[in-house]
Amino acid sequence: MSSNGGSRDWNENIYSNGWQAAEGGTAFVTEPATGQRIGSIGFGSPRDIDHAATLAAKVQEAWKATPFDRRAAIMREAARLLLSRAQEINEWNVRECGSTRPKAEWELHATYEQLLMAAAMPMQPDGALYPSAIPGRMNICRHVPVGTVGVIAPWNFPMLLAMRSVAPALALGNAVVLKPDLQSAVTGGLLLAKVFEDAGLPVGVFHVVPGGPETGDALVRHPKIGMISFTGSTGVGRAIGEICGRMLKKVALELGGNNALVVLDDADVEAATSSGAWGAFLHQGQICMQTGRHLVHRSLVEQYATRLAERARNLVVGNPYKEQVHLGPLINVKQRDRINDIVQTSVSAGATVLAGGRFNNLFFEPTVLSGVTPEMSVFKEEIFGPVAPITIFDDDDEAVALVNSSEYGLAAAIHTRSMSRGLELSSRIRAGMVHINDQTVNNEFHIPFGGMGASGNGGRFGGPANVHEFTQTQWVSATDGPIQYPF
């Protein structure tokens, strides 16, 4: 295997106790923009997961005992190497994942920030001292590593959404087994393995085992995996949560969303449509925080719809590896057909196409639909594609009710010229993140991130939340002399 950007030969390997041939065989890497095969990797089997989890459990205690400054230094070196390999990593992100170059560059920088944040974690206080009613007793509440963390990462932001779990878990003394999606296994897995290997992370602490559902299921069920961090669909997340619940295993679930942009009657329409276009069409809409519902006050809806459609028609769709474009390809045919079915079903139910609505191979035009009602599939379902459905409301109470009518609760945005009005509405919206005078796709590495309802189980990534996610709390009490009891 070569780390040279010109080489696309990964020798059909996985990263587990060094670079090894996968027992599960071979998977091919396909460029979605062209359908061209651009490489091959190892396909991890349940036996590969067993080997990885078993070895990780053996070496985790030694990694936990590694001095904090050494763990921090490895994180910093990994961050440095990530930046030094930006050209190679970004090229993979563009070709393997269909990312535009600006999206790939942003993702790499955000991943770099995740690593720097993780590098600072080992030197932070790892507990607190509590008072005791018993004289002379000391109560210490400290954070201890879970053990081995299993991370299942998605294909849309594969590097960032893997690293937001991998980096803090490692920094806090856990071993990690990462299962990246097969559609993004190089960008979101093998390139990261090479970075950590070259940064000096001890062999066996970090494993990368690409694979399909059977591989992921083996990771979730393995008795030596103490926690699962999963980012993906709500349906799969429910199944993982059920398994982990039966096994009394810690689990963090960051799931789907049907996120709403609320445009109040006093909004700046030009700014709101800019947010609406960015939130709906960035990375072809293949983002859990995508603006999937545009809720617009009746007095502004015509103006908003006209301007949003203009913005959509001005966006260029094409192969991001060959040309400068705003939107690249969708990830696969199944995803394209699902999006098209949602659009066509909603049009048949009475929605009107103001822009887009067509596709060529995996290139789907940015689409704006007006006249969308809550009964339509484009309103009810997570779209995960470049579609902006517009729904009318008449007052603030109706807007809140429409937002909260979804089982999802990941992100929302509100456009208004009144900060106090926006803050008041935000307190009534059931979502883990609400952005006023912005759009729904937001990420800052140091702020707790996560959803409510069908968007997650209350787990949070980012900043101080990482300590609670990737450790267990242990209470230790101590006295100089033994306590004497009545019997």
Side-chain angles (χ1 to χ4, degrees), residues 38-63:
I38 57 174
S40 61
I41 59 173
F43 186 102
S45 70
R47 281 179 56 83
D48 289 312
I49 290 291
D50 180 54
H51 295 158
T54 301
L55 178 60
K58 289 179 180 178
V59 304
Q60 185 267 331
E61 282 295 327
W63 173 241

Side-chain angles (χ1 to χ4, degrees), residues 174-191:
N174 298 284
V176 174
V177 179
L178 167 64
K179 190 207 81 69
D181 193 286
L182 280 173
Q183 297 169 110
S184 56
V186 176
T187 306
L190 300 177
L191 288 170

